[in-house]
Structures are given as structure tokens and as C-alpha cells.
Amino acid sequence: MLSTSGWKLAHVFAEPRRQSLLDTYEPERIGFARSLVSTTDRAFTGLVGEGVAGEFTRKSVAPLVFGVATRFSLGRHAIFRTISQCAFTIQTVPLSQGVAGDVHGGDRLPWT
């Protein structure tokens, strides 16, 4: 199974004249990349902090927050959607056009 953008590479290898297809990668992924960097930066700034505040965050706050979040279905679901990128859509990029019923270009298909 090809990744979200793996099919583009396969298509360009099969038809080298379609290299412009690779130009769509950054617009599709930049939103998630920025979100990931921002979230990771915020999370790890506290976790790697020096002194009493950093130690307190690592030993008390982070385990408590993660423990409470994973205890509930809503928390586990939110963590899964974030890590798996399921909450991320690409509706605003050029390849994400068109509608088929309730599904719009760029939507993730429903779980079956």
C-alpha cells in the first residue's frame, strides 16, 4: 500500500513528464508539518526544562496529564487522531477538488 504521497512518486517514475505532480506535496503537507513542529516544541520545552520547574513537569505533571488523558476514551481517541494524522485534511490544495456525495476532495474516507 502506498503512502499518501507515495502514489505520486510511483506515478512520476512511470510517467516522468508528470514531475509537476510533485509540486503538490508541500502545499498538502505544510499545514500538518507546522502543527507538528509547534505542538512538539511546546510539549518538549516543558519536558526538557532545567531546574525545579523542568523536573516537576517531567516527574509529576506529564505523567499525571498523560495518565488522565489515556484513562478516557475521548482522550485516547484525541491522541490517536493526532499521532495518526487522521484529524488532518488537505481540502485546500489543488488536487483536492470535486465532490462525490458527502465526500469532498481532500477528506479522509470514513472508517469501514
Side-chain angles (χ1 to χ4, degrees):
M1 184 165 136
L2 294 174
S3 69
T4 308
S5 299
W7 70 269
K8 292 179 184 181
L9 291 172
H11 192 72
V12 170
F13 282 124
E15 296 182 45
R17 61 185 166 79
R18 299 286 315 263
Q19 286 187 357
S20 62
L21 184 61
L22 298 179
D23 295 337
T24 64
Y25 182 78
E26 182 180 354
E28 287 178 357
R29 305 303 301 166
I30 196 69
F32 177 75
R34 287 182 177 144
S35 173
L36 178 65
V37 169
S38 172
T39 303
T40 303
D41 188 50
R42 282 193 311 257
F44 284 101
T45 296
L47 291 173
V48 299
E50 295 181 14
V52 175
E55 187 172 345
F56 179 72
T57 301
R58 281 188 298 280
K59 291 184 176 180
S60 300
V61 176
L64 177 65
V65 169
F66 191 74
V68 170
T70 58
R71 191 170 298 143
F72 300 99
S73 177
L74 184 63
R76 289 190 303 273
H77 186 71
I79 292 168
F80 172 79
R81 289 181 53 83
T82 301
I83 292 172
S84 67
Q85 302 179 26
C86 287
F88 179 69
T89 63
I90 54 171
Q91 294 177 335
T92 60
V93 298
L95 287 179
S96 300
Q97 297 178 3
V99 178
D102 291 335
V103 179
H104 295 81
D107 284 352
R108 291 208 176 258
L109 294 176
W111 294 97
T112 57

